[in-house]
């Protein structure tokens, strides 16, 4: 999307709040400022707005409104499941003490599980294939009656690769384990139906679908027990206390409504078309690869590696030219990870993993911008290669 100062192609990191979402939220900061727990008119009005948002969110996820709980973000939703289930297992004395999580999960799942180790829980990573798709066969081999929770994200934040969620959920259930899918990168971008996927928990985050940062939701399948992470005044049906963030909840509901509308109008196909064109053009640069390119992916995400062009250098050169992309995920930036755990799990060759960039387009990305993205990237990669001794050697030998 063309901004005043450039082209934004980092939608997997975050998206702008759409004008419709901002307009829907605005009255709930001022004239409709009531507390939904109040029995008076302002409170009832705010409560009605929260109920509408819950229904809109449920509709996007193929759930009933009673199965939707608003949280502060995707990270909280994932932590709630992991920590809540661990607490319940300890309380009930259950022997289920293993978490099985896809090797490419977001840190909000991986680290939350690993943080339970002092309490006697073990976390094991389910391997992925060379495209970064979780192996159901490996899960079937690893799982036993001691597994508390299996977590396989719906789509990966670095590569966009869609995961075999339904099959993995069936395997988890066959051994009595519960199943979480982190759908933060999928909600609003591909059709989702929590019930058909067979998951017990599904998490989403507002800022990945044109709602603000600081709002998320968790689907909890009807009848599944999940103790609260936050206790207090009993909001969210006693499951997540704290006065509801009404404007943000309204924003998330409106964003879900818009996303459902755009999905039925063919937005996913439009984005996949643009993404595929960008991909095809960049492949002509040679000595590069599409990470996860052999698997079905979310429509707007493209992860590529270029020999002799460090991902970080490409990103910074693009930044100077007003094109905003990322290397891998925004979450691993600045954390000292030389190669992301996702590309490592996919066994991406080291020289290629270092040269990885993620281009993620979204609502508002136009055809002209897609062309500019290709032009700028081509120029930056050629410039970096032109000063690379390794590139000179490679091209000499050809
Ligand atoms: N899960 C995935 C797959 C993500 O990509 C992210 C954010 O990048 C999160 C969870 C965390 O969401 P939030 O930023 O709302 O905490």
């Amino acid at each position: 999307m063309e901004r005043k100062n450039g082209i934004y192609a980092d939608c997997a990191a975050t998206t702008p709040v759409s004008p419709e979402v901002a307009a829907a939220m605005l009255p709930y900061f001022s004239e409709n400022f009531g507390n939904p727990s109040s029995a008076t008119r302002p409170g009832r009005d705010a409560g009605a707005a929260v109920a509408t948002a819950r229904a809109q969110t449920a509709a996007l996820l193929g759930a009933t409104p009673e199965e939707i709980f608003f949280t502060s973000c995707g990270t909280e939703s994932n932590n709630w499941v992991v920590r809540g289930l661990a607490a319940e297992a300890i309380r009930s004395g259950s022997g289920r003490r293993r978490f099985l999580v896809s090797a490419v999960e977001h840190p909000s799942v991986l680290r939350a599980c690993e943080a339970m180790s002092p309490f006697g829980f073990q976390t094991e990573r389910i391997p992925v294939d060379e495209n970064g798709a979780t192996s159901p066969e490996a899960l079937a081999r690893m799982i036993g009656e001691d597994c508390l929770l299996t977590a396989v994200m719906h789509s990966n934040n670095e590569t966009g690769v869609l995961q075999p969620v339904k099959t993995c959920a069936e395997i988890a259930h066959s051994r009595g384990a519960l199943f979480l899918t982190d759908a933060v990168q999928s909600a609003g971008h591909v059709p989702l139906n929590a019930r058909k996927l067979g998951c017990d928990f599904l998490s989403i985050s507002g800022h990945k679908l044109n709602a603000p940062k600081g709002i998320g939701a968790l689907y909890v399948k009807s009848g599944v027990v999940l103790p609260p992470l936050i206790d207090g005044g009993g909001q969210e049906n006693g499951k997540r206390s704290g006065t509801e963030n009404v404007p943000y909840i309204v924003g998330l509901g409106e964003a879900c409504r818009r996303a459902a509308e755009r999905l039925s109008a063919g937005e996913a196909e439009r984005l996949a078309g643009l993404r595929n064109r960008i991909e095809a053009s960049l492949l002509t640069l040679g000595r590069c690869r599409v990470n996860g390119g052999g698997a079905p992916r979310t429509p707007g995400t493209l992860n590529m590696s270029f020999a002799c062009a460090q991902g970080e250098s490409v990103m910074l050169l693009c930044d100077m030219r007003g094109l905003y992309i990322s290397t891998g995920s925004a979450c691993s930036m600045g954390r000292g990870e030389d190669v992301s755990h996702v590309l490592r799990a996919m066994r991406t060759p080291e020289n290629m993993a270092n040269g990885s960039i993620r281009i993620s387009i979204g609502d508002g990305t136009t055809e002209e911008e897609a062309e500019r993205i290709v032009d700028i990237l081509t120029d930056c990669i050629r410039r970096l290669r032109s000063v690379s001794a390794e590139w000179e050697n490679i091209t000499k030998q050809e």
Side-chain angles (χ1 to χ4, degrees):
M1 63 213 59
E2 190 87 48
R3 342 226 88 230
K4 250 187 251 142
N5 305 315
I7 297 171
Y8 185 79
D10 199 10
C11 293
T14 196
T15 58
V17 175
S18 70
E20 294 90 336
V21 169
M25 292 171 64
L26 217 50
Y28 294 91
F29 287 105
S30 47
E31 62 260 40
N32 295 338
F33 62 89
N35 183 331
S37 298
S38 308
T40 55
R41 174 78 183 271
R44 293 198 304 277
D45 287 350
V50 170
T52 302
R54 201 182 306 281
Q56 290 166 325
T57 307
L60 183 72
L61 306 181
T64 64
E66 297 71 31
E67 294 172 314
I68 301 297
F69 299 89
F70 293 114
T71 63
S72 66
C73 58
T75 299
E76 183 191 325
S77 298
N78 289 334
N79 269 261
W80 181 9
V81 174
V82 171
R83 290 167 190 271
L85 290 182
E88 181 59 19
I90 292 167
R91 188 202 62 76
S92 68
S94 144
R96 292 186 179 270
R97 298 292 159 116
R98 263 168 95 218
F99 293 113
L100 293 181
V101 299
S102 164
V104 295
E105 281 312 281
H106 188 264
S108 58
V109 172
L110 270 172
R111 292 199 186 140
C113 290
E114 286 164 1
M116 295 298 100
S117 82
F119 308 103
F121 293 87
Q122 228 184 300
T123 302
E124 286 167 46
R125 299 186 185 203
I126 313 160
V128 297
D129 66 15
E130 69 285 356
N131 280 306
T134 308
S135 161
E137 295 77 21
L139 170 60
R141 279 195 301 275
M142 293 165 79
I143 200 163
E145 305 293 324
D146 57 350
C147 178
L148 175 61
L149 176 75
T150 299
V152 177
M153 67 203 321
H154 194 270
S155 62
N156 183 261
N157 45 302
E158 295 190 27
T159 59
V161 168
L162 290 158
Q163 303 289 323
V165 170
K166 194 167 184 288
T167 313
C168 291
E170 281 164 10
I171 296 168
H173 289 152
S174 73
R175 305 307 289 268
L178 290 163
F179 186 84
L180 160 70
T181 193
D182 171 346
V184 163
Q185 292 289 344
S186 288
H189 304 288
V190 291
L192 274 182
N193 188 305
R195 201 155 290 274
K196 286 191 186 151
L197 286 170
C199 49
D200 300 295
F201 310 103
L202 180 149
S203 49
I204 68 165
S205 168
H207 73 104
K208 311 289 184 179
L209 72 154
N210 303 103
K213 296 160 190 65
I215 184 71
L218 180 68
Y219 158 88
V220 182
K221 187 181 170 186
S222 165
V224 172
V225 177
L226 181 68
L229 184 65
I230 300 175
D231 285 301
Q235 289 88 350
E236 294 293 286
N237 208 13
K239 294 281 199 188
R240 202 279 187 181
S241 288
T243 301
E244 295 88 341
N245 187 351
V246 180
Y248 280 53
I249 289 172
V250 167
L252 178 59
E254 174 62 13
C256 288
R257 188 197 65 73
R258 274 187 81 241
E261 227 172 61
R262 287 174 31 244
L263 277 174
S264 29
E267 175 68 358
E269 292 75 13
R270 184 188 79 85
L271 281 180
L274 288 183
R275 190 267 316 272
N276 293 344
R277 273 165 46 195
I278 297 172
E279 177 177 313
S281 304
L282 292 178
L283 279 171
T284 64
L285 287 168
R287 303 258 170 195
C288 55
R289 59 181 260 156
V290 179
N291 298 310
R297 288 169 290 163
T298 46
T301 307
L302 171 60
N303 189 313
M304 288 186 76
S305 293
F306 299 89
C308 307
Q310 284 275 329
E312 195 134 324
S313 308
V314 177
M315 179 193 74
L316 293 173
L317 267 186
C318 286
D319 186 54
M320 285 163 63
R321 300 274 306 269
L323 168 62
Y324 310 118
I325 58 166
S326 79
T327 58
S329 84
C331 305
S332 55
M333 290 278 300
R335 306 251 160 85
E337 282 185 31
D338 48 347
V339 171
S340 85
H341 73 283
V342 174
L343 297 183
R344 205 181 281 285
M346 293 163 66
R347 297 172 291 283
T348 311
E350 198 88 358
N351 67 326
M352 281 289 170
N354 285 335
S356 131
I357 55 164
R358 179 185 68 187
I359 302 151
S360 48
I361 55 175
D363 186 15
T365 305
T366 63
E367 296 206 6
E368 296 71 47
E369 282 168 357
E371 278 166 28
R372 288 283 299 142
I373 290 172
V374 170
D375 290 347
I376 296 172
L377 269 165
T378 301
D379 194 48
C380 293
I381 291 161
R382 285 203 174 126
R383 272 175 60 188
L384 286 169
R385 283 177 166 177
S386 73
V387 292
S388 156
E390 197 189 337
W391 183 253
E392 201 183 326
N393 274 341
I394 290 172
T395 43
K396 250 193 218 147
Q397 282 161 19
E398 281 172 352

